[in-house]
Amino acid sequence: MLRIRVTDARMMALQRQGRIGFYGEAVGQEAAVVGSAAVSEPQDWIVPALREAGVGLYRGMTTDSYIAQIYGNAADPTKGRQMPCHPCDREHQYVVMSSCVSTQIPHAVGIAMAMKIAGDRGKVCFGYMGDGGTSEGDFHVAVNFAGVSKAPCVLICQNNQWAISTPGTLQTAAETIALKGVGYGVEAIRADGNDVLAVYHAVAYAADKARRGDGPTFVELLTYRVSAHTSSDDPSRYRDESVTEIWRGQRDPIRRLETYLVKRGWLAAGEREAIAEQIEADVRDAIARQEAIAPPALETLIEDVFEEPTWLLREQLAAIADGPRVKSPHHR
Ligand SMILES: Cc1ncc(C[n+]2csc(CCOP(=O)(O)OP(=O)(O)O)c2C)c(N)n1
């Protein structure tokens, strides 16, 4: 959880310094991210939305790979084609997200349906979304299919109570987001998304059920988007930030876990700060390494579409190669 907190803070600083283009934090949502990630097994698939990079990191995506993808440099496995904050990791079965809200949920359910058809007992697909995502048609199609096919998926809504400037009260007239699963015959659970143990408990129940072949569960994790929607947003223009302060303070998931660990005698006073310092040093080293890597080679522009690039693509590449190249401000 601290790794996400510290990495996000560094990335936001880089964005403000003009060194990366865009960033979306998961501040205040770390318990939902890590509590659910901890349930996943290597054979599972993860289909994330915007705030689950920490699930990828938990499963083994390296900080270097994450940062390479934010810079879009030559070490970026997606060759600089994705937006920052849309990471992927093939080895750890962490699928790249689509910017189009909720298009990933049919993908998650489809992967789970394929697992079931292939007889892959014991594998689960985790599909994530935000509260705003549950108003999209894709969400309803996907949950319906999950229910009918009894696909081995766990659909997780991080209800952070805001979809950019739209509050939860304007998002739905339903009493809870979880209720939306019930209408499709999918068992639904609502848990405290800022309590990492409650998250783990709820998601473990859902994942165990899916592994047994007993079908999907829709899990709503109640949390709060403490930060702005992204680095392009200023929430003070549309919401009462005194409410945000309550979530940032006493309801902070890291502070809650720290209190618990200290009371149990599992964490010493000052240990949290020491861990955070070590993480920050690691992140700073990774930034230095990744910032030094050049952008992807020009030829990569025409790769991965056809097995052999067509004459037209080759001609276009030659035309660009001969032209002037403008250096991106994000590549020093
Ligand atoms: C189909 C679609 N509509 C609108 C947008 C613009 N948009 C990007 S993020 C977002 C809000 C998403 O809110 P939510 O699903 O609650 O997730 P959160 O960002 O709060 O984690 C919107 C409307 C989009 N990317 N895709």
Side-chain angles (χ1 to χ4, degrees):
M1 288 164 72
L2 271 177
R3 192 170 166 208
I4 299 172
R5 177 80 46 103
V6 170
T7 307
D8 277 359
R10 284 310 312 146
M11 293 301 124
M12 278 303 287
L14 292 189
Q15 199 281 334
R16 294 303 188 230
Q17 292 163 14
R19 289 158 69 184
I20 61 171
F22 163 90
Y23 200 74
E25 299 173 273
V27 181
Q29 298 183 216
E30 296 92 344
V33 174
V34 171
S36 57
V39 173
S40 72
E41 299 282 349
Q43 74 272 15
D44 297 335
W45 282 83
I46 310 295
V47 183
L50 177 61
R51 308 206 190 266
E52 287 84 24
V55 179
L57 292 167
Y58 190 96
R59 287 172 65 80
M61 174 168 58
T62 63
T63 304
D64 272 89
S65 175
Y66 180 51
I67 296 174
Q69 295 182 60
I70 290 169
Y71 275 90
N73 64 18
D76 171 2
T78 64
K79 305 179 182 179
R81 295 173 188 174
Q82 258 293 14
M83 284 178 70
C85 284
H86 292 50
C88 63
D89 193 302
R90 187 184 289 265
E91 186 190 342
H92 299 100
Q93 304 194 155
Y94 180 86
V95 177
V96 74
M97 79 168 262
S98 159
S99 289
C100 308
V101 168
S102 272
T103 50
Q104 78 280 8
I105 314 170
H107 300 162
V109 173
I111 290 170
M113 287 169 72
M115 287 170 172
K116 187 173 179 179
I117 292 165
D120 285 347
R121 239 337 146 76
K123 289 187 186 176
V124 177
C125 185
F126 292 77
Y128 288 87
M129 73 212 74
D131 41 297
T134 67
S135 297
E136 288 284 348
D138 275 340
F139 165 82
H140 295 273
V141 169
V143 181
N144 186 52
F145 263 92
V148 171
S149 68
K150 298 202 171 9
C153 56
V154 179
L155 300 175
I156 300 172
C157 175
Q158 284 208 57
N159 178 4
N160 66 13
Q161 307 187 48
W162 291 91
I164 310 185
S165 54
T166 303
T169 47
L170 296 180
Q171 193 62 251
T172 179
E175 209 173 307
T176 69
I177 298 276
L179 278 174
K180 297 190 188 191
V182 177
Y184 293 106
V186 171
E187 185 183 3
I189 303 174
R190 191 176 206 236
D192 180 346
N194 281 18
D195 176 346
V196 71
L197 300 178
V199 171
Y200 183 86
H201 190 67
V203 177
Y205 165 82
D208 288 348
K209 188 179 107 183
R211 288 189 211 288
R212 285 196 309 270
D214 289 339
T217 308
F218 180 43
V219 182
E220 176 189 356
L221 301 175
L222 188 68
T223 180
Y224 200 82
R225 199 199 71 212
V226 167
S227 61
H229 172 68
T230 65
S231 51
S232 316
D233 175 42
D234 174 8
S236 68
R237 296 180 61 156
Y238 55 76
R239 72 179 183 186
D240 177 357
E241 292 290 38
S242 66
V243 176
T244 310
E245 284 316 309
I246 298 170
W247 289 87
R248 195 192 301 279
Q250 69 209 51
R251 293 185 191 163
D252 177 61
I254 297 183
R255 186 197 280 199
R256 285 175 63 181
L257 180 61
E258 184 184 13
T259 306
Y260 174 76
L261 294 175
V262 170
K263 275 207 174 128
R264 285 272 178 155
W266 294 336
L267 190 78
E271 214 175 329
R272 169 188 169 161
E273 289 72 17
I275 297 170
E277 266 172 36
Q278 184 55 53
I279 296 168
E280 178 153 353
D282 293 345
V283 171
R284 282 180 185 274
D285 286 350
I287 292 168
R289 281 190 294 272
Q290 295 307 321
E291 214 165 31
I293 297 177
L298 203 57
E299 301 76 62
T300 61
L301 266 179
I302 63 167
E303 288 173 358
D304 307 319
V305 179
F306 301 102
E307 192 175 4
E308 282 297 321
T310 61
W311 64 268
L312 181 60
L313 287 174
R314 284 199 302 270
E315 210 175 87
Q316 288 175 343
L317 180 68
I320 307 170
D322 286 346
R325 278 200 86 181
V326 178
K327 205 165 183 275
S328 158
H330 303 134
H331 292 117
R332 312 189 140 206

